[in-house]
Amino acid sequence: MSEIVTPDKFVIPSTPNFRRHAEWTRVRYLIIPALALVALLVFYGAPWLLWAYNLEQAGRSIDSGLAWPKQRLVDSLPESRNSLALDNALSHLATAIRWRPGQEYPYRLLGQVYAARHDWPKAAQALEHARALAPQNRLSTWESALIYEQMWRDVQTAPKETLMPDLVSAPIEAPGVPIRTIFCHNNVPQTCYVGPDKWTQPYAAFPDAPPVAADVLFMHPPSSVKLTHSIYADHPVMHFLVGLDPGMHGSATDGATFQVWVDPAGGASRLVYERTVDGLTAKRGWVPGSADLSPWAGRTVTLVLRTTGSPANASAGDWYGWGNVTLTTREAAQYAVLAPDSRMRQAWQDDGLDAAKLLALGKQARYRGQYDQALAWFERAVAVEPDWGEPWYRMGEAYKTQQKLDKAQQSWDKALKVLQQAAGRSPDNRDTWYVLGQVYAERKELDAALQAFQRGIGASPRKVGLSNLYLSIGNIRQFALSPPDLDGAWAAYQQALAIDNYSDELGMSMKALTHHSIGLILASRERWNEARREFQQAVSLAQYDTWFHVSLARSLWKLGQREPAKEQARRALDIYRENVDAYRLLGDISRAEGNVVEARAMYTKVLELAPQDDAARKAIEKLGR
């Protein structure tokens, strides 16, 4: 009878193979989950690790390849320092983006690298990617605005030649069937199709952005104009805007086709630009375009601008035109097609920067003495709101101060240009007329200066006091006109004192200047006692003006008060040790007193400071006899 095996008698065999099988069974439950975990880490973690590695390598290359200004400001742009390092950075950034395309930071770095190479379109494209991935990151928005601003400035300063005046008078090709437009003349039907106009509308790509004004050649389809013109190598690319008359945005137009042809002498016509703009796009605004004419640089060719109907050939409401047709550089045309001005303003708007905030940033920079920075902020405010006079005025004021510091004549020219813009936009701003008058005076345009000050008298009160304007009129009549108009100057000074509405400038008392100027008129008429009273008033209002003390000293001497005169002359020297007039006056007084040694010392000091002073030299010669 066989033995029954009960559970308590069951024993696991201890053979080697069975033991190995049991051990593997236990290990299997540990290894398989571990392998699965490794697989998951490789699948999900490798992209992050590779992204981080390439980003770190790109950062190292960027650090050695980029150069930033020593004083890096918020609107600073980098320059290339090591081209090979930047190539390496671009390679690593491309790899990083491939592994994690949804990350914003590598695109920002791309933008910096392309900016350092002045490849503005690629820099803008990279930063636009960054903005799309992280709209809340204001830094990307600001950096993209800087890139568009650079393109905009390049467009503004590039060599250019407008073709609009010539196109208006160019021969027309159009049907012999008249249409009802305002351009028809001389009963010639073809003239109804083409004519000059001015349109203002935004870019179609930015319908909510500020509008752009353009001189327009209206061309109702089908029509064309032919212009024979020389193409020059330094601006061989045609840039233009095409669009629909803003007054026809409610029409039934379904679009139009725009073409540019080149007819070279003795050659076949070539189509160099063609664009069909549908009606919906045209109703949103301008569409920019360009045509490369560089193959004909150095030659005279016939340019043909042609407007034809839409593919359906419907012509209802087809009031189309070509705006601001200009020859410029290849780069400027490339940038202009991107509408950098509208994109720049849009980026500022997205960043919460309106004209008022940009103006405030400019004022802060000017207060710190950073005039170039201040001008940049004021120009941005003008770009956002060009019809606002205040930024124009602030630009003119900054250029004027900059000229005083740098002695650069071109600053006067720039100041005049922007102040004229300010006066045209804000004709009731007293401050604008005052500064404009000062700039005219510095440029020796005296009639214009007097007219500007006179306009300021009738303008609304601002920062500048009314008495300052009368003082300025008096100064021109007394010191700038030839011969001087002393009576006119006197009347202006008396009016300034009667009103007594002064605003001081750079710590100088304008009222003191008025008294001093009146004193000089009295001194020229040898009314010395009255002159002394005016000079005394000037000194009491501005005790630290060296010239006021000299004038008072001279009047005292003329009145026979030698000791008080010498005291005032010495005070003048305490304030300014190189006051030539004070030394000369002390020399004259010492000579009159018979103090030859002191007189010679004073005249010698004059010659040390002013070697060409013949009067002092002759005085010393007389003392030696």
Side-chain angles (χ1 to χ4, degrees):
M1 184 175 182
S2 63
E3 181 182 5
I4 298 174
V5 179
T6 60
D8 59 324
K9 293 183 179 180
F10 182 79
V11 179
I12 297 175
S14 59
T15 61
N17 287 336
F18 192 85
R19 282 198 305 272
R20 284 196 295 269
H21 176 76
E23 290 171 0
W24 167 247
T25 300
R26 287 194 298 268
V27 171
R28 181 176 58 185
Y29 289 109
L30 297 174
I31 291 179
I32 291 178
L35 291 174
L37 180 60
V38 170
L40 287 172
L41 288 174
V42 170
F43 184 78
Y44 289 103
W48 185 91
L49 292 172
L50 291 169
W51 173 81
Y53 168 78
N54 281 281
L55 195 60
E56 193 272 340
Q57 292 299 311
R60 290 175 180 270
S61 297
I62 287 173
D63 287 342
S64 62
L66 288 188
W68 292 92
K70 289 185 178 179
Q71 184 185 9
R72 184 173 174 180
L73 304 171
V74 68
D75 55 356
S76 295
L77 289 170
E79 293 290 336
S80 174
R81 179 169 58 188
N82 184 328
S83 184
L84 291 177
L86 294 184
D87 286 341
N88 191 51
L90 288 174
S91 176
H92 282 293
L93 288 172
T95 303
I97 289 170
R98 187 164 62 250
W99 283 110
R100 298 190 75 194
Q103 296 298 311
E104 165 256 357
Y105 186 56
Y107 286 105
R108 276 195 54 223
L109 295 180
L110 269 182
Q112 291 182 2
V113 173
Y114 284 127
R117 291 184 160 179
H118 295 188
D119 191 339
W120 310 121
K122 286 186 178 178
Q125 184 180 37
L127 289 167
E128 288 292 1
H129 273 295
R131 291 180 64 192
L133 292 169
Q136 74 284 356
N137 189 338
R138 295 181 59 188
L139 188 57
S140 297
T141 303
W142 171 246
E143 289 176 345
S144 68
L146 289 179
I147 300 303
Y148 289 125
E149 181 182 6
Q150 187 63 53
M151 285 192 274
W152 172 63
R153 292 184 184 278
D154 287 353
V155 170
Q156 297 296 108
T157 59
K160 58 177 66 68
E161 176 188 5
T162 179
L163 299 182
M164 296 306 298
D166 295 331
L167 287 171
V168 168
S169 58
I172 300 169
E173 289 185 356
V177 180
I179 56 176
R180 295 181 62 182
T181 72
I182 61 174
F183 305 106
C184 303
H185 61 270
N186 297 333
N187 293 320
V188 178
Q190 287 83 355
T191 61
C192 302
Y193 288 78
V194 178
D197 209 345
K198 289 182 179 291
W199 299 348
T200 300
Q201 58 186 339
Y203 285 99
F206 304 96
D208 297 326
V212 176
D215 292 321
V216 172
L217 185 68
F218 168 79
M219 290 183 64
H220 192 289
S223 62
S224 61
V225 295
K226 292 186 175 183
L227 173 64
T228 300
H229 196 82
S230 297
I231 309 301
Y232 297 100
D234 66 338
H235 53 276
V237 180
M238 181 191 295
H239 175 260
F240 45 83
L241 305 172
V242 295
L244 180 69
D245 184 336
M248 301 298 291
H249 284 185
S251 71
T253 181
D254 63 347
T257 299
F258 301 86
Q259 296 177 337
V260 178
W261 293 78
V262 176
D263 287 344
S269 296
R270 187 187 303 181
L271 178 65
V272 293
Y273 174 83
E274 183 175 35
R275 172 74 182 268
T276 297
V277 178
D278 64 86
L280 291 177
T281 299
K283 291 176 183 179
R284 288 199 297 269
W286 294 118
V287 175
S290 65
D292 188 359
L293 308 179
S294 56
W296 298 275
R299 298 170 59 184
T300 298
V301 299
T302 298
L303 302 173
V304 181
L305 272 61
R306 181 171 298 154
T307 305
T308 61
S310 64
N313 271 332
S315 61
D318 286 355
W319 287 54
Y320 287 92
W322 300 68
N324 290 348
V325 183
T326 304
L327 292 178
T328 186
T329 64
R330 186 189 307 276
E331 290 79 10
Q334 178 189 13
Y335 302 158
V337 168
L338 297 175
D341 49 344
S342 287
R343 293 177 185 268
M344 170 185 71
R345 289 192 292 262
Q346 186 65 54
W348 288 336
Q349 180 179 325
D350 294 344
D351 216 12
L353 294 171
D354 58 13
K357 290 181 180 178
L358 293 166
L359 181 69
L361 289 168
K363 290 180 181 179
Q364 293 173 16
R366 188 182 185 281
Y367 178 78
R368 295 191 298 267
Q370 299 171 330
Y371 290 99
D372 288 338
Q373 283 294 303
L375 285 165
W377 290 115
F378 294 149
E379 288 173 3
R380 290 168 182 139
V382 165
V384 171
E385 201 167 334
D387 291 331
W388 186 20
E390 184 72 10
W392 290 101
Y393 161 69
R394 294 294 179 179
M395 286 173 63
E397 192 180 41
Y399 277 128
K400 175 196 159 201
T401 307
Q402 193 176 51
Q403 196 283 334
K404 291 285 189 181
L405 296 173
D406 300 341
K407 307 296 183 183
Q409 180 60 38
Q410 63 178 359
S411 292
W412 286 132
D413 299 337
K414 293 177 180 177
L416 178 62
K417 182 177 179 180
V418 297
L419 286 168
Q420 287 172 333
Q421 295 283 349
R425 287 163 170 79
S426 300
D428 202 35
N429 185 333
R430 177 187 292 171
D431 295 2
T432 297
W433 290 111
Y434 179 63
V435 179
L436 180 58
Q438 290 179 320
V439 172
Y440 275 128
E442 292 288 348
R443 291 167 56 90
K444 310 303 180 186
E445 299 178 42
L446 302 181
D447 288 341
L450 289 171
Q451 291 175 14
F453 290 135
Q454 199 65 46
R455 286 289 300 273
I457 289 173
S460 296
R462 295 289 295 272
K463 179 181 68 175
V464 174
L466 188 56
S467 294
N468 292 47
L469 292 157
Y470 282 108
L471 170 61
S472 299
I473 291 172
N475 285 166
I476 288 178
R477 295 192 178 283
Q478 181 178 1
F479 302 113
L481 293 183
S482 183
D485 176 12
L486 295 183
D487 290 338
W490 180 277
Y493 295 144
Q494 295 303 322
Q495 190 70 32
L497 289 174
I499 295 171
D500 197 15
N501 174 225
Y502 288 96
S503 55
D504 293 340
E505 299 176 18
L506 299 176
M508 170 58 68
S509 168
M510 296 294 106
K511 189 172 183 177
L513 279 176
T514 307
H515 282 293
H516 185 257
S517 297
I518 292 173
L520 292 176
I521 293 177
L522 292 167
S524 71
R525 294 170 176 171
E526 298 190 358
R527 295 162 60 178
W528 291 110
N529 197 41
E530 295 170 85
R532 178 193 59 77
R533 287 198 295 267
E534 295 297 329
F535 294 143
Q536 187 65 61
Q537 286 277 7
V539 167
S540 66
L541 291 168
Q543 297 182 17
Y544 297 100
D545 189 291
T546 182
W547 306 107
F548 293 173
H549 286 284
V550 170
S551 295
L552 178 57
R554 184 174 289 107
S555 66
L556 289 168
W557 183 47
K558 291 293 183 179
L559 291 170
Q561 302 178 34
R562 292 182 180 177
E563 288 305 319
K566 287 193 287 186
E567 180 183 353
Q568 290 298 323
R570 292 189 184 106
R571 287 185 184 178
L573 290 173
D574 287 340
I575 297 168
Y576 179 53
R577 298 302 301 175
E578 297 184 4
N579 192 320
V580 173
D581 288 345
Y583 285 115
R584 180 182 288 106
L585 181 58
L586 287 171
D588 292 343
I589 295 174
S590 296
R591 184 174 61 176
E593 292 176 334
N595 190 340
V596 175
V597 175
E598 182 67 15
R600 181 178 286 108
M602 294 298 101
Y603 291 135
T604 300
K605 192 65 179 179
V606 171
L607 288 177
E608 289 177 4
L609 297 171
Q612 306 304 318
D613 193 308
D614 290 334
R617 184 174 288 103
K618 291 178 180 178
I620 291 175
E621 291 174 357
K622 290 181 180 179
L623 290 174
R625 293 176 182 174

